[in-house]
Structures are given as structure tokens and as C-alpha cells.
Amino acid sequence: MIALLLPLLERVGLIILLANLLMISPFYKKMMYDRTSPKVRWVLIITFSLFAIISNFTGVLVPAPFEISNGGVVNLASHTSIANTRALTIGMSGLIGGPFVGFFVGLISGTIRWLQGGTAPYTYFISSLLIGLLSGLAGRISLRKKSYPPVWQGSLCGALMEIVQMLCIFVFLPDKRQALALIQTIAFPMVFVNALGTGIFLSIILGTLKQEESTKAIQTHDVLELANKTLPYFRQGLTPDSAHQAAKEIQRFMRVSAVSVTNRKSILAHVGAASDHHIPAKEIITDLSKEVIETGAIHVARHKSEIGCHYPNCPLAAAIVVPLYVKGQVAGTFKLYFTDAQQLTYVEEQLAKGLGDIFSTQLELGQLAVEQGLLKDAEIKSLQAQVNPHFLFNAINTISALMRFDSEKARYLLLQLGNYFRSNLTSTRQNLITVEEELNHLKAYLTIEQARFPDRYQVAIEVESKELNSALIPPFIIQILVENALKHAFAGRKTDNHVLVKLSNECDSIKVMVKDNGQGIAEELLAKIGHQVVPSARGTGSALENLNRRLENLFGEQAHFVVYSNQQGTECQITLPLNYQKEES
């Protein structure tokens, strides 16, 4: 028995080596998570059938009177048997793939063994089928639970399958004394080796999958932590400051050579290698990034030439460029760079793809929050007559004073004040209103202001065509521009204060112009108007910035807000896509 045990252990070592090589493959790792699909079952049948055939041809000869030999095993002589690890591979196929896989592996392996010949070869055909079916039934229990049996259960099953083979030898061999002698020679070594081999085989699979799950858990933890770290930055939008902070966090977690974040036109941040020429605020210099922005697809460059950086001594050798989406449109990219191309692996590709989805979601959430904030701010601005006690008190005082000597005008102003507030409440619930509604709101506001300051302001309103009255525009945009002119343009001047409001149709766009003949805007402040807060003695200076951001969020690149100014006055122009209100049937 000892003489047989050692050669069998060598054969088991070969099967275990093959199992290790198998589980290194990402294809088989993935397959082990989905053992119920027909495709995976046939792959398992082919794989374990090859293992079983190898077991048949690497067995140990046991010729009568059953002495161990290492002779040829292709064509066995009569009265010759072979001790091998066939039952181990058939049993493992059933434990992993269930009865279907176990039966076919047993059928193929048993057929090969029958063709090899020897003493009553049909015996091993029958035992192979029985082992495949019985191990498959045992494997089906764990298969339904989408798990694997513990190692001890696998070892026990392996021992029992070999005992089934011993029973078949005793039942189907014609000469019972010969059968008992053969069983006495091979039973213990084969049962032991089969139990040991099945346990080791299972432990390799379980260990590999556990390690894979641990790796995924660590990666998931890192990704979630990175997402948590970058969330405050990406929710601010793609700005140079937020992009720089996010790029630093990405490089720290991903351990790459460099990280870059861009919008559609320029580099917002670059951290790491090649910072000397990949400079923020410059236009995008790599052809790879331009291609990603155009196609909206992830691109992987495994060679320096594929990156397309035209700087002669650029150290970047490989890159992954991932598009960042906002509302279905490419808003920018983030790029992972490597100075050693071999560092770019499949894992980095998958992580970059997942991070791209997360960062895009963060940007969308940030923009949604901005839009909600802007809408709320627009509501506050539009209702400032309610919130701002000065406007309300001044209007009430004006009406109260008029009631003593012109009650009819006081009544008219009171109605206009009501119309103004009603318009505020109605318009804040909509993203778009008609030009006619906006102008009615403006007129109510002007009526109250001109009652307070009679003949101080002359505001003219020109609409190019009647059709424009049903065009859709964001609420309060004209009123904010006119109010801004009345507050800031004339600097205490009491006469000759003119404001022109003009709406026109230009190439399928609606152009809103508000022009005054005031003192103009200082040159150093003009570039900031509409892009950042410009505080003044009469307010926070955020009205035009919020207006511009609201236009960008509603219409994107289709909206334009431009301010021209000199010593003769200021002109504000808003250009929007021309859409008309649909008629209700």
C-alpha cells in the first residue's frame, strides 16, 4: 500500500498544479461565480474531462498478482488494473458543476478508461458514471445556495466516491477473490489520496475566491473613501480649485504618476509628473484628451506616442482618459498617467471606469444642488420686495401719502403692488415664462418705483414683433437688469435717466437688451460682472452673477450674457434659444 501511496500522491500533485494554474486565470475566476449558466457548464465539462483523461494516462499500473508497476497505461493487458486520480477529478466536477457536469465528465472519463482495457474495464465506466452523478447531487445542494461545500465535506465526499468505486470493483469483477485482492491493494491509498486531493482542490478554489473577494472589498473601500474625499470638490463643479483638490486625492489613492482634470477646453488641474508643461489654465495639449471629449468614450494609451503630447521630453508613458458626463453631455475628463507603461493593468482600467461614473454622478448632483440653489436664490431675489422691508415700507408709505390727495392713484398703486407680488409667487414655480408675463411683472415694479420717484426715470420698452410676446424666457431676467440699472447706473442723478428695454429676434434666438445712459462701470469691475460677486454700497452684487449662472444651467452654451460699458452708459445683452409657448387645445 505504501508503494502505491507515494506514486498516487505524485499524480495528485499534478492535478493540484493544474488547479492552481486554472485559478490564476481571470476567465476561470469569473466563471466560478456563475456555475449555473449553460456556457459555464460546458466549459467545466471540457476542463474536468481533460483533467480526468490526464488522470487515466498518468495512473499507476497494478498487474496481477497486483504488484505496483510504472509501465504503459495506453493499452492495458488483461488481468491488469490501474490506480489513478480519475475519481478525484470526476468527483470535483460534480461538486462544482452539479449532476449535469458530473455525469458528462464521468461519461467521457469512463469511456476513455474502458478503451484502455485491462481487467473488466466496463467496471470503471459504470463507476465513473455513478461517481459523477452522486457527487453532482451532493454539489447541487451548495450550487443552489450559490456557495461551495466546506473543505471537510469535500474531503468526505471524495473518500465516499472512491468507496463507490471499490464497491463497483467488487460487484462487477467476475473473479471475487481477484476483486478482493485488488481492493485490498488499492483501497486505502486511493481513498486517502482522493479525500486529500479533493480537500486540497476545494481549498484552492475557496482560497482564491476568498482572496478575490478580499481584494474587491479593499478596492471597494478605497473607491468609496476616494468618492467620499472628492465629493465636496466635484460637487462644486469643474473649477480650477475644486479640480486641483480632487486631482490630489485621486493621485494619493490611486498611486499613479500623475492625475489631470480638464473641462472641454482647458486643463483645470495637473498633479504629479510632467507638471512643467501640463500647466493648468492652458488649452488641452494631448490629442488623446481631445479624442475622448469628441467621442465620449474611455481611451487607454499603452505607449507614449498614443498619448499625443508634443512636448519632446514628456515622461508620461501610458494613460487612461475617462470622460466626465453631466446631463448626458461630456463636460470634461480626468486622466491617470503612468511613467511606466507596465503599471497600467486591467485593474486600473476597471477602477478608472468606475470612478468616472462616480465622479460624473457627483458633478450632476453638484449641478442639481446649484440649480436648486439658484432657483431658490432667484425666488428670494424676485420676492425681495417681500423680504426687503425697505421696498415694502417705501411702497406702503407712498400709497399712504397718495391716499390723502389722490386716492384713485393710491388705489391703482395698491393694485399694482398686489399684481407684483402675485406675479412673483406665480413665476417662481416655473423655469420659463412668456415675455408678456415678464413685461407685466416689470411694469408693475416700475409703476411702484416711479410713484416713489416721479419723473426720475424714463424706461422705454420695445418688442420687435407681437409673436415675441409668447416667447419663453426665465422669470425675472429683465426685471433684475432694469432694477440693477435703476440702483447703480445713475448715482443720485435726478434727471435725464433713460433705460431702454428691447427684445428682438435674431437667427432663431431671442435677444434681450437693457441699456442705460448712466455713469458706466469701472473697467476693473467690468470683467467680473456676471462671473463673480461684485459688492457695492447698495447691495451684495450677486444678482448678475446668479442671473448668468442660471442661464448657463438652463441653456448651457446656447445662452450668452454680455455687458458693455463706457462713460456714456451700460448695455446688458442676453441671447437665448427662441422657443414659443405651446397653445393649449
Side-chain angles (χ1 to χ4, degrees):
M1 287 190 291
I2 298 299
L4 179 60
L5 183 62
L6 293 176
L8 283 176
L9 287 174
E10 291 179 0
R11 274 60 175 183
V12 170
L14 176 61
I15 298 299
I16 290 170
L17 176 62
L18 291 173
N20 267 308
L21 293 174
L22 202 69
M23 292 309 295
I24 290 173
S25 165
F27 172 75
Y28 278 97
K29 284 181 185 178
K30 184 178 179 181
M31 192 177 66
M32 289 301 174
Y33 288 103
D34 187 23
R35 295 171 288 152
T36 56
S37 72
K39 179 183 176 181
V40 171
R41 286 179 174 178
W42 283 111
V43 172
L44 289 173
I45 288 169
I46 294 169
T47 302
F48 281 101
S49 295
L50 290 173
F51 280 14
I53 292 169
I54 292 170
S55 298
N56 281 328
F57 290 112
T58 57
V60 181
L61 291 177
V62 187
F66 307 118
E67 295 176 353
I68 308 306
S69 170
N70 285 313
V73 292
V74 176
N75 293 300
L76 302 180
S78 58
H79 306 294
T80 301
S81 297
I82 180 173
N84 58 33
T85 55
R86 183 185 71 260
L88 188 156
T89 53
I90 298 171
M92 278 304 306
S93 70
L95 285 175
I96 293 174
F100 182 82
V101 174
F103 173 79
F104 275 97
V105 173
L107 178 66
I108 295 169
S109 178
T111 301
I112 298 296
R113 177 63 187 87
W114 194 348
L115 294 174
Q116 283 182 281
T119 304
Y122 59 86
T123 302
Y124 307 104
F125 177 80
I126 296 170
S127 67
S128 296
L129 290 178
L130 286 174
I131 291 169
L133 285 171
L134 292 173
S135 63
L137 291 172
R140 186 163 65 179
I141 298 171
S142 57
L143 198 60
R144 286 176 176 173
K145 297 178 182 178
K146 295 183 179 181
S147 63
Y148 287 88
V151 173
W152 70 269
Q153 286 185 10
S155 296
L156 179 61
C157 182
L160 291 174
M161 293 305 103
E162 196 60 61
I163 291 171
V164 168
Q165 179 157 267
M166 296 300 113
L167 290 173
C168 288
I169 290 172
F170 180 77
V171 172
F172 294 108
L173 254 63
D175 188 339
K176 301 304 178 187
R177 285 191 301 176
Q178 183 183 355
L180 286 171
L182 178 60
I183 292 169
Q184 187 177 4
T185 304
I186 67 173
F188 175 77
M190 291 188 69
V191 169
F192 175 78
V193 166
N194 207 56
L196 179 66
T198 304
I200 294 174
F201 204 121
L202 257 181
S203 67
I204 290 171
I205 294 174
L206 291 171
T208 303
L209 295 180
K210 187 175 181 180
Q211 184 180 9
E212 186 82 1
E213 289 172 0
S214 297
T215 303
K216 286 181 179 178
I218 293 170
Q219 290 175 347
T220 302
H221 176 269
D222 287 346
V223 168
L224 290 175
E225 189 172 353
L226 176 56
N228 186 51
K229 292 286 187 182
T230 55
L231 178 60
Y233 306 124
F234 278 115
R235 289 192 70 170
Q236 295 174 23
L238 289 175
T239 66
D241 183 59
S242 65
H244 180 74
Q245 296 297 329
K248 288 198 320 188
E249 294 293 345
I250 295 169
Q251 188 195 27
R252 185 167 67 87
F253 275 86
M254 296 292 290
R255 298 180 182 87
V256 294
S257 303
V259 175
S260 184
V261 180
T262 76
N263 56 22
R264 290 185 61 87
K265 297 179 180 179
S266 61
I267 302 169
L268 296 175
H270 185 95
V271 177
S275 295
D276 57 333
H277 59 282
H278 290 258
I279 302 171
K282 286 184 64 176
E283 289 189 4
I284 294 172
I285 61 175
T286 61
D287 298 334
L288 186 62
S289 299
K290 295 175 183 176
E291 188 176 351
V292 170
I293 291 170
E294 288 298 322
T295 62
I298 295 175
H299 278 51
V300 179
R302 301 186 181 278
H303 192 270
K304 187 174 182 177
S305 60
E306 296 176 27
I307 297 175
C309 179
H310 304 292
Y311 191 79
N313 298 316
C314 183
L316 305 176
I320 306 172
V321 185
V322 183
L324 297 173
Y325 283 90
V326 176
K327 293 184 177 180
Q329 301 293 323
V330 177
T333 67
F334 86 91
K335 299 176 279 187
L336 307 180
Y337 286 114
F338 304 83
T339 52
D340 181 0
Q342 294 182 351
Q343 293 175 348
L344 200 168
T345 66
Y346 176 78
V347 174
E348 275 70 30
E349 287 183 46
Q350 294 304 305
L351 280 175
K353 183 179 179 182
L355 287 172
D357 294 336
I358 291 172
F359 295 157
S360 295
T361 302
Q362 290 176 347
L363 285 171
E364 285 213 26
L365 288 172
Q367 182 156 333
L368 182 61
V370 169
E371 289 175 359
Q372 290 175 341
L374 291 173
L375 186 60
K376 186 66 177 177
D377 188 76
E379 180 179 349
I380 292 170
K381 288 291 179 183
S382 68
L383 296 175
Q384 58 188 320
Q386 288 178 306
V387 178
N388 186 344
H390 295 290
F391 180 92
L392 184 58
F393 292 160
N394 289 334
I396 292 173
N397 289 335
T398 302
I399 294 170
S400 178
L402 282 171
M403 288 179 68
R404 297 182 180 180
F405 57 90
D406 194 344
S407 60
E408 193 62 29
K409 188 173 182 180
R411 178 178 175 275
Y412 174 73
L413 286 179
L414 193 59
L415 289 173
Q416 290 300 312
L417 186 62
N419 290 336
Y420 180 82
F421 287 148
R422 188 180 298 110
S423 177
N424 280 344
L425 291 170
T426 303
S427 299
T428 52
R429 300 189 185 103
Q430 305 173 67
N431 284 330
L432 297 172
I433 62 173
T434 64
V435 167
E436 185 177 13
E437 290 172 313
E438 174 69 1
L439 291 179
N440 287 337
H441 179 263
L442 173 63
K443 290 172 183 176
Y445 168 79
L446 289 174
T447 300
I448 298 167
E449 283 297 292
Q450 287 174 341
R452 291 179 56 214
F453 306 105
D455 302 322
R456 178 175 291 190
Y457 310 110
Q458 286 74 48
V459 181
I461 300 174
E462 296 180 8
V463 181
E464 187 178 71
S465 63
K466 290 183 178 180
E467 289 79 14
L468 283 180
N469 284 322
S470 60
L472 295 173
I473 61 174
F476 318 123
I477 63 170
I478 300 177
Q479 188 242 323
I480 287 173
L481 293 178
V482 172
E483 181 182 356
N484 196 69
L486 299 186
K487 282 187 176 181
H488 303 288
F490 305 114
R493 196 170 72 190
K494 295 183 179 181
T495 59
D496 193 33
N497 299 324
H498 296 277
V499 177
L500 172 64
V501 178
K502 185 176 181 179
L503 291 94
S504 57
N505 183 346
E506 294 188 3
C507 301
D508 295 327
S509 297
I510 181 170
K511 182 176 178 182
V512 179
M513 183 192 75
V514 176
K515 183 178 181 181
D516 65 68
N517 64 340
Q519 62 183 356
I521 301 171
E523 188 174 348
E524 64 269 19
L525 298 178
L526 187 60
K528 300 179 182 179
I529 298 294
H531 301 287
Q532 64 186 76
V533 174
V534 184
S536 69
R538 291 172 171 254
T540 63
S542 62
L544 296 184
E545 183 208 14
N546 289 331
L547 171 63
N548 190 28
R549 292 177 66 186
R550 186 151 56 102
L551 294 175
E552 289 177 352
N553 281 296
L554 286 171
F555 301 102
E557 295 180 353
Q558 293 179 294
H560 301 283
F561 175 57
V562 184
V563 180
Y564 303 98
S565 187
N566 54 38
Q567 293 180 350
Q568 283 73 47
T570 300
E571 179 177 330
C572 297
Q573 293 182 5
I574 295 175
T575 306
L576 305 172
L578 181 58
N579 293 299
Y580 290 99
Q581 185 181 41
K582 295 180 180 178
E583 293 183 3
E584 295 182 358
S585 58

